[in-house]
Amino acid sequence: MRPGGWNVSDLILRMVVIGIGATALTDIWAQFLRLFGFPKPNWAMPGRWFAHLPRGRVWHEDIVRSEPVAGELAIGWICHYLVGIAFAGIVLAIAGAGWARNPTFLPALIVGWATIGCGWFILQPGMGMGIAASKKPNANQIRLLNVVSHTLFAIGLYGTALLTR
């Protein structure tokens, strides 16, 4: 047993459930945005980016023009959820195992907002979009949607932890 009465398998299960719950909330948000004419997320392109990583390729001029990868859409969806799970683990690592029993919003918000930086400074430049989507004509719109979506991810981390404590 770990301090606080949790064993490792309990913590891993909490991390998975909290990460899936938080990520699912962002996907529900994306579906809601479709009602207002926003396109659905194309997880094939992040999937392509992730699939190129083991080949040593992090930076792409334009991910759309990079070599397609078999199953890239599935890879994108799987990685989307695995990253959400990993960030739930980061909340638990930073705030402590007890956070899963008595969650507070601030650790979830800090980690949720950190995920914005990961997109702006790793994923988007890696896919050829520039830092914080600076190469896209609608960069400010993308940035705003990133902030809202990742804030909802933080709410999802906190809310799922509350629901499962």
Side-chain angles (χ1 to χ4, degrees):
M1 285 288 207
R2 292 182 60 139
W6 295 100
N7 64 39
V8 173
S9 61
D10 288 336
L11 282 174
I12 290 171
L13 179 61
R14 296 284 175 166
M15 176 181 77
V16 170
V17 170
I18 292 168
I20 288 172
T23 305
L25 182 60
T26 66
D27 290 333
I28 293 167
W29 170 249
Q31 294 305 312
F32 175 74
L33 289 176
R34 291 182 67 194
L35 297 173
F36 299 96
F38 288 90
K40 67 180 185 175
N42 180 6
W43 289 106
M45 293 304 97
R48 185 178 295 180
W49 182 78
F50 276 108
H52 279 269
L53 290 176
R55 302 173 183 179
R57 184 137 187 233
V58 178
W59 310 109
H60 299 259
E61 189 67 33
D62 181 355
I63 194 69
V64 173
R65 293 193 323 245
S66 292
E67 180 183 344
V69 176
E72 59 192 27
L73 179 59
I75 293 167
W77 275 104
I78 290 166
C79 288
H80 173 55
Y81 275 83
L82 287 176
V83 168
I85 291 165
F87 277 107
I90 291 170
V91 173
L92 290 168
I94 292 170
W99 183 85
R101 275 209 184 106
N102 296 304
T104 56
F105 185 59
L106 187 60
L109 184 63
I110 290 168
V111 170
W113 282 352
T115 65
I116 298 166
C118 293
W120 285 0
F121 301 111
I122 299 170
L123 182 63
Q124 290 172 358
M127 291 177 42
M129 296 170 64
I131 292 173
S134 61
K135 292 182 179 180
K136 300 299 268 182
N138 60 337
N140 285 331
Q141 179 186 53
I142 292 169
R143 292 173 191 141
L144 177 61
L145 289 171
N146 291 157
V147 170
V148 172
S149 179
H150 290 253
T151 301
L152 283 170
F153 177 74
I155 292 167
L157 289 168
Y158 175 64
T160 306
L162 281 175
L163 290 171
T164 59
R165 59 186 171 159

